[in-house]
Amino acid sequence: WHEEASRRGLANLKNLPEALPVLIEPEAKELFERYGVFKEDELVSRYHILLENYCKVINVESLLTSSMAMTMILPAAIEYQTRLATAIVQTKAAVNGINLAHQENMLKEVSDRIARLKTAIEVLDMLRHEQRGEEHIEDEHTAEAKYYQQRVIPAMNEVRAVSDELEVMIDDSIWPLPKFREILYIY
């Protein structure tokens, strides 16, 4: 569809911070006023309300992403890591000279993902706090919405991506949330 829209000369606005400014372009203002839908100040007011709402929703979602990752996913991953490490140590103690390269590789993969998840959470939290400390500029709502779209949402997606990788590795009995396969295929 994006290629077809481009071929037809239509705008390809991929997200709210890109699309919403069209609402306050001179042509849109004139159109809304001509048909008695909104006066210019009403339209501009709605524009700012929609941007502010977008920022609040993304902020709440980012808080939830960080909280779930820290309090549910990370502890489950560490528990699984502990179980793997304990099993490796106990097996080596029980059977001298056994090759546990595959199990050790599993432990390394889980450990690497735990480190990536912790880093992704820290980046997300830093970005959330960084935005609050910025000085207000002429159009703070637009700048804040673009910040959330360009910086915070990608950071949330990174937390999600690493969490998804851990989900397929960690034992079902430890994982604190419904797994995708459980949601898609109830069995």
Side-chain angles (χ1 to χ4, degrees):
W1 169 248
H2 296 291
E3 291 174 13
E4 181 64 21
S6 178
R7 187 182 67 75
R8 293 182 186 189
L10 300 173
N12 186 9
L13 307 170
K14 297 178 178 113
N15 54 60
L16 188 97
E18 284 182 19
L20 210 50
V22 173
L23 192 61
I24 58 171
E25 288 181 353
E27 306 86 42
K29 289 178 184 177
E30 193 273 323
L31 178 73
F32 279 104
E33 191 144 357
R34 180 175 358 127
Y35 290 105
V37 179
F38 292 118
K39 294 180 181 171
E40 181 178 347
D41 58 340
E42 293 171 328
L43 196 57
V44 170
S45 176
R46 285 187 182 268
Y47 165 78
H48 288 290
I49 289 168
L50 289 169
L51 279 176
E52 185 177 1
N53 185 55
Y54 172 82
C55 294
K56 285 181 180 180
V57 167
I58 300 301
N59 186 50
V60 168
E61 289 177 357
S62 68
L63 286 166
L64 182 61
T65 300
S66 177
S67 176
M68 287 178 69
M70 281 297 292
T71 64
M72 299 173 86
I73 297 167
L74 197 57
I78 292 170
E79 171 65 24
Y80 185 66
Q81 176 188 39
T82 302
R83 286 186 185 185
L84 280 174
T86 302
I88 290 169
V89 168
Q90 288 177 350
T91 303
K92 282 184 176 181
V95 182
N96 197 17
I98 191 167
N99 181 359
L100 297 175
H102 293 293
Q103 293 88 332
E104 290 170 347
N105 191 38
M106 284 175 58
L107 178 59
K108 182 183 180 323
E109 288 175 9
V110 170
S111 299
D112 289 345
R113 283 172 178 81
I114 289 171
R116 283 181 42 218
L117 179 60
K118 183 65 173 126
T119 299
I121 295 167
E122 289 171 355
V123 167
L124 176 59
D125 290 342
M126 184 268 308
L127 290 171
R128 280 189 11 262
H129 296 307
E130 182 178 293
Q131 174 61 15
R132 289 200 179 119
E134 287 185 2
E135 293 182 26
H136 296 291
I137 57 175
E138 184 178 327
D139 189 358
E140 69 180 272
H141 295 299
T142 303
E144 187 176 18
K146 286 180 180 177
Y147 180 85
Y148 276 109
Q149 180 63 42
Q150 295 169 357
R151 307 279 311 274
V152 176
I153 290 176
M156 289 169 52
N157 289 340
E158 180 60 22
V159 171
R160 171 69 186 269
V162 179
S163 297
D164 288 348
E165 291 174 19
L166 284 165
E167 176 184 337
V168 298
M169 299 176 80
I170 294 176
D171 185 353
D172 289 353
S173 67
I174 300 172
W175 193 254
L177 302 165
K179 291 192 172 189
F180 281 125
R181 72 168 191 276
E182 295 168 347
I183 294 169
L184 295 175
Y185 309 105
I186 299 174
Y187 58 93

